[in-house]
Amino acid sequence: QSSLKFNLLFPLALGLAAIVRPVALALFLFVIIYWLCVKKFKEVLFAVIIMVLLISPFSYFFSKKTGEFTFLSNAGQYDLWLGNNPNANGEIIVIPEENETFRGLQSEKEVNKKALQEVFRFIKEEPVNWLNLQIDFCLSDIYQFVFCLFLRLA
């Protein structure tokens, strides 16, 4: 039996988290699928309405700013390129205007388009390097997580 407080606070907290980190929408999706499987249709409808009401103003603002529909962020392709290029090392590198790959591009839309093309080019031309990069990122994150957990327990 779900409480009204939980039904209100859960989508509210998750919506705020999604505004800060859009990946939080994945958790929301899993919860919605679970609720649908256990036939909690009222909870699903209520949570979706709250999420839409919370995210819509941000989506509208970003869409007006960029001139095309933008759900929560328009940096996806550039962010994808940051972690998937031959020089990626897990750190944020220079802004697009200062990077040779993006020099001369005028808009965010052009930068994002070029970034996505570069990611696919890197994967196609250097699949082994790309795969090694993914493995290195995963392992470094696991080590960082275990290290932080150990520090908290110590």
Side-chain angles (χ1 to χ4, degrees), residues 52-72:
V52 167
L53 289 174
L54 193 59
I55 292 174
S56 292
F58 292 91
S59 182
Y60 177 77
F61 171 77
F62 293 136
S63 296
K64 288 298 255 186
K65 184 178 177 203
T66 62
E68 62 183 33
F69 178 74
T70 305
F71 188 58
L72 282 173

Side-chain angles (χ1 to χ4, degrees), residues 126-154:
E126 302 180 49
V128 174
N129 288 343
W130 177 80
L131 190 57
N132 285 334
L133 188 63
Q134 304 314 307
I135 292 168
D136 288 346
F137 286 160
C138 288
L139 291 177
S140 70
D141 285 347
I142 290 170
Y143 291 136
Q144 289 174 10
F145 173 76
V146 171
F147 181 72
C148 290
L149 183 63
F150 178 74
L151 286 178
R152 292 202 180 238
L153 295 175

Side-chain angles (χ1 to χ4, degrees), residues 1-15:
Q1 184 73 12
S2 297
S3 70
L4 181 61
K5 195 183 296 185
F6 175 80
N7 289 341
L8 180 64
L9 292 179
F10 173 73
L12 188 64
L14 211 49

